[in-house]
Amino acid sequence: MEKELVIVLDFGGQYNQLIARRVRECSVYCEVHPFTLKLEKIKAMNPKGIIFTGGPNSVYGEDAPRYEKEIFDLGIPILGICYGSQLMAYTLGGTVETAPVSEYGKAEVTADKSSPLFHDVSEKTICWMSHTDYISQAPAGFHVCATTPVCPVAAMELPEKNLYATQFHPEVLHTQEGMKILSNFVYRVCGCSGDWKMSSFVEDTIRSIRQKVGDGKVLCALSGGVDSSVAAVLLSKAIGRQLTCVFVDHGLLRKNEGDEVEAVFGPDGPYDLNFIRVNCQQRFYDKLAGVTEPEQKRKIIGEEFIRVFEEEAKKIGAVDFLVQGTIYPDVIESGLGKSAVIKSHHNVGGLPDCVDFKEIIEPLRLLFKDEVRKAGRELGIPEYLVDRQPFPGPGLGIRIVGEVTADKVRIVQDADAIYREEIASAGITGLGQYFAALTNMRSVGVMGDERTYDYAVALRAVNTTDFMTAECSEIPFEVLQRVMNRVINEVKGVNRVMYDLTSKPPGTIEFE
Ligand code: XMP
């Protein structure tokens, strides 16, 4: 049986993958394609629906991305969002112009509840707007089914041709009933039955990996984090011993982490794969000696990681494919396309230049973190691994401010282990990410009758859903105090513990 598919046509908006993800949340498979996807190709894919994304252009601009008019005659339901709605209006003879007042932020939309798009949605509903142009006149035959005080066509529809459009963004969480609106489109307009589950993603990915790899050899850089673990298990299920996982212990891992990773993926673990652990802690400490600038530390760690990895790849020989556990937010934060580079994430773009592979396999490239976790559960990966908080490739190297030394690593590992133990024993769950970091500040303290001059440890805990923005978590004070007491008593070299209240932005989640 053919699987239901909804296509997102990308006109350059920043939320293109988010739209796809929301549709998948409705249990309907969804893929993003560039707006240059040919009409014939679309017909052959036989989608149940098409969504046009937003985008930065004006439809009447010279270089504006457009689509041939025939797409609106296919009978396939189409939902235009923001720029996509304006494009629909413009192509079909409506008027789009610069709005007298730009709308940015939350707006109260008055919706016509008789539209299938607004079934079960409140008549007055808060939606997220972000536009300078607007549709001033809907094309002939269209019914305006939502407005705001400044936007005469906040949504429009032509039900007999299955065409729908919203000026606001139903995919972002600020649109309070956005999921309902998208689900209405997918179920009530496109007539989907919702046949997609994470298990389908896993099965399809395993099948396509087998096809792609044939009897070739595959190498995976395994860090023990959620993403690379899920990628490795997917590959191991698909191709078994054709896969070799290389785990580089760069001496910047959390306490006992190297052994924990080995216990799961090594010869005594449940998976049928080749596992190589490279212990090269000192090599990294030597390279990092005297280096204090954070971006330089990242580059050194990334570079050295590649060298170690390359050496191992050469030992194995004739490796055709490289697996990376890249997930969607890594792709955007590393500045793919037009978004700005915030930091150089070392699981993106680094490895392939240096080693001679035929191709890279990134099976999780389109998934968000929580989708990766779902895939991991589907694959039967133990909960403690799937539920692990993210840990960056450069490891503790970016949780030690200033120069990295073996002794500082020891301090941050021990403090972090205590912090994690206390959070667990207090039964606190649902934190986005939390860890201890070592500030580069030493100050005077007194212990017993002795004067001390030691480091300050910073505790950090944030709530986040997308890791692009984050708020400081409200850890109960008594838990923080317990951690402080234990860290000062048990970790040599620390005489002060602080709690970091900074949100992202302006801070980042990591502490570097
Ligand atoms: P920041 O500090 O940029 O962190 O707010 C956002 C999320 O990304 C993780 N992070 C990384 N993950 N390689 C990774 O695999 C990296 O170089 C890297 N830098 C940051 C960070 O832990 C947080 O979850």
Side-chain angles (χ1 to χ4, degrees):
M1 205 183 72
E2 201 172 308
K3 206 169 51 189
E4 292 172 344
L5 166 71
V6 167
I7 293 177
V8 170
L9 273 192
D10 178 10
F11 287 93
Q14 38 175 332
Y15 301 128
N16 50 20
Q17 285 295 343
L18 190 58
I19 301 172
R21 177 238 162 95
R22 296 278 180 246
V23 174
R24 296 197 294 261
E25 275 176 37
C26 298
S27 307
V28 172
Y29 185 62
C30 187
E31 285 175 0
V32 180
H33 291 274
F35 73 93
T36 47
L37 185 70
K38 295 269 182 293
L39 194 65
E40 284 315 307
K41 204 72 194 280
I42 293 185
K43 280 198 226 165
M45 291 165 98
N46 193 24
K48 299 285 283 184
I50 301 171
I51 301 178
F52 286 14
T53 70
N57 297 75
S58 285
V59 283
Y60 41 79
E62 247 176 53
D63 299 328
R66 305 221 171 85
Y67 207 92
E68 49 202 294
K69 199 172 170 189
E70 287 66 36
I71 194 166
F72 298 108
D73 296 322
L74 296 178
I76 301 173
I78 299 180
L79 172 66
I81 295 176
C82 197
Y83 177 82
S85 75
Q86 295 163 10
L87 186 66
M88 183 185 290
Y90 176 83
T91 313
L92 297 175
T95 312
V96 177
E97 51 191 333
T98 308
V101 190
S102 298
E103 258 184 316
Y104 182 79
K106 291 180 183 172
E108 188 180 74
V109 167
T110 307
D112 175 351
K113 292 177 54 122
S114 68
S115 162
L117 219 47
F118 297 114
H119 176 84
D120 228 6
V121 170
S122 323
E123 195 180 334
K124 301 274 185 202
T125 182
I126 299 298
C127 298
W128 181 258
M129 290 281 193
S130 169
H131 64 111
T132 40
D133 286 355
Y134 73 175
I135 304 170
S136 51
Q137 174 87 53
F142 271 77
H143 163 64
V144 173
C145 51
T147 54
T148 73
V150 293
C151 185
V153 188
M156 61 177 195
E157 61 180 9
L158 184 62
E160 52 282 26
K161 294 194 97 175
N162 280 324
L163 302 180
Y164 293 81
T166 63
Q167 178 58 66
F168 57 86
H169 289 269
E171 71 277 19
V172 304
L173 291 176
H174 304 297
T175 297
Q176 286 171 0
E177 295 179 277
M179 267 311 279
K180 225 184 257 176
I181 295 167
L182 280 176
S183 153
N184 281 339
F185 175 69
V186 166
Y187 285 100
R188 293 184 177 269
V189 177
C190 303
C192 291
S193 62
D195 64 356
W196 189 76
K197 298 188 287 303
M198 193 42 89
S199 56
S200 330
F201 168 82
V202 167
E203 283 161 24
D204 291 352
T205 310
I206 288 179
R207 201 174 313 121
S208 75
I209 290 171
R210 277 191 192 133
Q211 236 168 30
K212 180 182 270 189
V213 169
D215 52 13
K217 275 197 219 168
V218 180
L219 200 60
C220 174
L222 181 69
S223 71
V226 182
D227 308 339
S228 68
S229 299
V230 172
V233 174
L234 254 177
L235 264 292
S236 119
K237 298 244 164 170
I239 54 163
R241 292 264 158 190
Q242 283 164 262
L243 173 70
T244 301
C245 289
V246 175
F247 169 54
V248 178
D249 187 340
H250 49 22
L252 302 165
L253 298 168
R254 283 168 289 203
K255 192 170 184 176
N256 301 328
E257 191 162 22
D259 296 342
E260 284 167 18
V261 172
E262 187 168 351
V264 176
F265 291 98
D268 301 328
Y271 301 109
D272 181 28
L273 46 80
N274 303 303
F275 175 84
I276 298 172
R277 174 174 175 175
V278 192
N279 287 318
C280 47
Q281 295 85 341
Q282 196 54 48
R283 178 167 168 176
F284 278 80
Y285 299 155
D286 289 347
K287 287 276 170 187
L288 288 167
V291 182
T292 56
E293 206 279 315
E295 231 358 60
Q296 206 188 340
K297 288 198 284 187
R298 279 177 172 273
K299 294 258 159 65
I300 290 172
I301 298 167
E303 162 88 23
E304 204 52 23
F305 188 90
I306 295 164
R307 298 280 89 87
V308 174
F309 193 76
E310 191 177 36
E311 287 162 22
E312 293 306 313
K314 284 209 179 102
K315 283 186 211 158
I316 297 163
V319 173
D320 307 291
F321 299 92
L322 173 74
V323 184
Q324 284 190 266
T326 321
I327 70 168
Y328 187 64
D330 302 334
V331 178
I332 3 183
E333 287 231 331
S334 283
L336 199 90
K338 293 199 177 107
S339 36
V341 178
I342 298 170
K343 322 171 166 174
S344 42
H345 278 212
H346 104 23
N347 54 356
V348 184
L351 298 173
D353 301 346
C354 309
V355 196
D356 197 13
F357 296 107
K358 213 158 68 187
E359 221 178 302
I360 307 167
I361 302 177
E362 292 179 311
L364 311 175
R365 197 177 171 84
L366 296 182
L367 301 188
F368 286 77
K369 195 82 179 186
D370 55 330
E371 292 183 301
V372 174
R373 292 207 162 101
K374 269 193 209 155
R377 290 195 183 97
E378 202 55 54
L379 284 160
I381 302 178
E383 194 61 26
Y384 76 89
L385 258 188
V386 169
D387 215 25
R388 231 174 197 193
Q389 46 176 324
F391 188 65
L396 301 179
I398 58 171
R399 292 183 182 171
I400 293 172
V401 179
E403 186 188 9
V404 175
T405 62
D407 196 46
K408 284 182 173 174
V409 170
R410 190 246 334 142
I411 292 179
V412 79
Q413 277 180 337
D414 288 348
D416 183 68
I418 291 171
Y419 189 25
R420 282 189 286 141
E421 266 171 43
E422 289 300 330
I423 292 280
S425 69
I428 298 170
T429 55
L431 297 175
Q433 199 166 357
Y434 62 96
F435 55 85
L438 188 58
T439 73
N440 203 21
M441 186 199 79
R442 290 168 82 196
S443 61
V444 174
V446 54
M447 262 185 135
D449 290 328
E450 297 280 329
R451 175 187 187 273
T452 57
Y453 184 60
D454 281 332
Y455 284 109
V457 158
L459 305 177
R460 181 131 177 84
V462 295
N463 297 334
T464 175
T465 46
D466 54 11
F467 295 90
M468 313 247 233
T469 57
E471 293 293 336
C472 167
S473 315
E474 287 189 34
I475 306 277
F477 199 59
E478 66 272 16
V479 177
L480 291 174
Q481 271 185 317
R482 242 189 336 266
V483 178
M484 177 273 294
N485 257 320
R486 281 195 58 196
V487 168
I488 287 178
N489 284 319
E490 296 172 35
V491 186
K492 193 167 159 282
V494 180
N495 67 355
R496 217 171 265 269
V497 174
M498 305 178 177
Y499 188 58
D500 182 2
L501 296 173
T502 322
S503 56
K504 173 184 180 177
T508 59
I509 294 176
E510 293 297 343
F511 198 113
E512 60 192 296

